Amino acid sequence: VTPLAVGVDVGGTKIQAVALGDAGEILDRERGDTPHVVDAVPGSTLAGAIESVVTTMLARLRTSPDDVVVGVGVPGMVAYDGTLVFAPNLPSANGARIATALATLPAHWRALCENDADCAVVAEHRLGAARGIDDVVMVTLGTGIGGGIISSGTLVRGRSGFAGEIGHMVVDANGPRCVCGGRGCWERYASGAGVARLAREAAHAGKLPTLVARCGGDPDAVRGEDVTGAAADGLDEALAVIDDVGWWLALGIANVVAIMDAAHVVLGGGLASASSVLLPAARRHLGALVEGGGTRPVVTIVASQFGPDAGAVGAALLASERLA
Ligand SMILES: [Zn+2]
């Protein structure tokens, strides 16, 4: 009997679980809040919260826990043994060994832990927007930027499992401080936090008069969502900021393409909801930024097919590939 594959995506605010059917269809889903507790044993509160979300879902599916494999996607650097060694955007989980914790909890699930964007690229490559394409970069635009790379059909993991941390490529050595401790990382420009920062700068520079007026005249009150929303409505001053963000997005993509010659870039994560305006902006700039842009085959940029489910679906797929 093939065990039921469960995937869990741990985000900064929510834990999201899905159960996958044999054909990759989502049978059920469940959500819970991400705890931000620093434990004596790192991540034990988080593991308990994951167990609770998955147990609730399994009770509905009437599946015996023996027949379950669980994949967990987490935002940060995950070692081959499943340890989340560094999670700059979820620091309370630094050092967490989620898979080990899940295996020792009463449920005794066979479990693995993997970087969330690595999970997402597996979902898109096996079943989604990158199906049939073997050189793919997944860029997840959330609070930060996550990356998952498939090269010649294989997930690139690296010496310790840390490959694909593309959000922390330095694109301006004198740029703003990053949560990782560095300076001028790509995710300071092209993520949700990057849009918010570029929006605030534009507001203070007098480039967003309509939006500042809508916010009662306070430039600091203009949020990233205000800009992406107004851009989607066609407001020129907002589109100009999104064009800037698209340039930064294309710059990072060009760097990754220079290293691994991607055919296809899939954009996911929370900010991908703004893809109707971000995708055209990134496409517009990529040709001029990528080496040999006029002569090499066009690098396509598309939106994630699984959207907010990509991480959880990919985690479930990895669990069934590696554990079942
Ligand atoms: Zn960084």
Side-chain angles (χ1 to χ4, degrees), residues 256-270:
V256 178
V257 168
I259 294 168
M260 52 77 67
D261 186 21
H264 200 56
V265 179
V266 182
L267 295 187

Side-chain angles (χ1 to χ4, degrees), residues 167-168 178-180 182 185 187:
H168 301 282
C178 181
V179 288
C180 73
C185 293
E187 71 170 40

